[in-house]
Amino acid sequence: MNILHAAAQDGDSPDGLRKKFFSHVPGRLWNDWRWQMRSRVRTIEQLSQYMPLSHEQQEQLSFVTAKYPLSITPYYLCLMNTVDPDDPIKRQAVPDTQETALCSFGDEDPLAEAELSPVPGLVHRYPDRALIITSNICPVHCRHCNRKRQWRQGPWIQTDTALAPMLDYIKNTPQIRDVILSGGDPLTFATGRLERIISALRNIAHVEIIRIGTRYPVTLPQRITVELCSMLTKYGPIWVNTHFNHPRELTPEATAACQRLLRAGMPVNNQCVLLRGVNDTLEVQEALCRGLLKINVRPYYLFHTDDVQGTEHLRTPVEAGIAIMAGLRGTVSGLGLPTYVVDLPGGGGKVPLQPDYLISGSDSEYVFRNHKGKICRYRNPAG
Ligand SMILES: *Cc1c(COP(=O)(O)O)cnc(C)c1O
């Protein structure tokens, strides 16, 4: 009870929460990503030490975690206002009874990744790009994860035996220029093991760029060590795509992690997911996009939430995203405007969406609506 009361006072201060909950942890451990991994909150009972949960709520949530397990790093836990039921950080990581209550909506694998896998673990949807699912382990289980179907299997990491056919496939498919390490989070690998995979990819002449899709900068920034960055820097060009969803995630620690990656030569781009009650307002998206630009991270995509079973409560109508894009255009630097995309079911691919700026077009004239709603005519040169 004491702890909860204290948390209420310090609710929006990560430092305050760290002091309340983890004051006994020396900085040496707190900043050690392996300690953060070992100390993740994995059960509802553990969770109840940090936030008010009635006995009944605990029982209901245990039912949810039997299907969709829970994982939260101490670091990410401290970003939450644990006593606020609508806290946007909590909504991303604390299980919700609606995950199972609304399970008649959506598919387990809406993007048909399994069908688009020529070898297990590798998704080949676009001719020039291949995606490797490196593991199913992440520091934090995002409740909106589009691969949450894979959590049930218990934690796994691809073995060398499983990776070999994927590397062979890439080697034998010269159209592939861009390999995306995805997951689960690829930075879960020990740095040495990750280096072996990346150097194997680098040895394939037609692989021009390597991308790493990781949420570590957001959920466990301590993982972005100097050692990791100096390893990665040897194998560039490497592009890092991360996943900030809310301006409150832009902490000094997360900023420092992004700076280390950037200084080591890796551009950092952000892939945000539009989430109901988290970031589905213009105010939050504006603060997020501006905040990202301030730390040199480029907003790349704003994803409409995929039609994934167990995420319905976090999904918004498509119009919500289009309205946000309309609001951002003209008020945020063009550099800070993500492309809003829907990833089509069945592996149809990503489709960009934006407000209609084009009203009509003919051989001689185009008519546009600008970001302020003003109608403008534009002479169309002869073809
Ligand atoms: C999103 C995705 C890519 C990369 O798409 P970009 O638009 O190039 O970022 C590649 N392969 C798969 C399977 C994807 O889902």
Side-chain angles (χ1 to χ4, degrees), residues 152-201:
R152 275 199 295 283
Q153 305 154 351
W156 54 264
I157 265 193
Q158 299 286 12
T159 60
D160 287 340
T161 322
L163 281 164
M166 297 187 227
L167 293 168
D168 281 343
Y169 178 86
I170 295 168
K171 219 175 278 172
N172 297 325
T173 314
Q175 301 93 302
I176 297 175
R177 296 158 176 269
D178 175 356
V179 176
I180 300 164
L181 298 178
S182 183
D185 205 303
L187 299 189
T188 300
F189 280 74
T191 304
R193 177 115 204 279
L194 186 64
E195 176 162 17
R196 289 207 298 282
I197 301 168
I198 291 180
S199 76
L201 288 171

Side-chain angles (χ1 to χ4, degrees), residues 219-282:
T219 56
L220 208 181
Q222 293 84 353
R223 170 66 182 111
I224 313 299
T225 58
V226 172
E227 181 208 11
L228 173 72
C229 292
S230 47
M231 182 279 279
L232 293 173
T233 205
K234 293 188 275 178
Y235 301 99
I238 295 180
W239 292 65
V240 172
N241 277 352
T242 191
H243 180 30
F244 288 96
N245 281 333
H246 194 277
R248 264 181 32 214
E249 294 166 341
L250 298 168
T251 63
E253 290 90 339
T255 302
C258 293
Q259 294 311 315
R260 285 193 287 275
L261 289 165
L262 289 160
R263 272 200 294 270
M266 275 148 304
V268 183
N269 283 261
N270 192 59
Q271 305 195 147
C272 176
V273 178
L274 182 61
L275 297 169
R276 181 189 290 274
V278 174
N279 58 19
D280 58 340
T281 65
L282 180 57

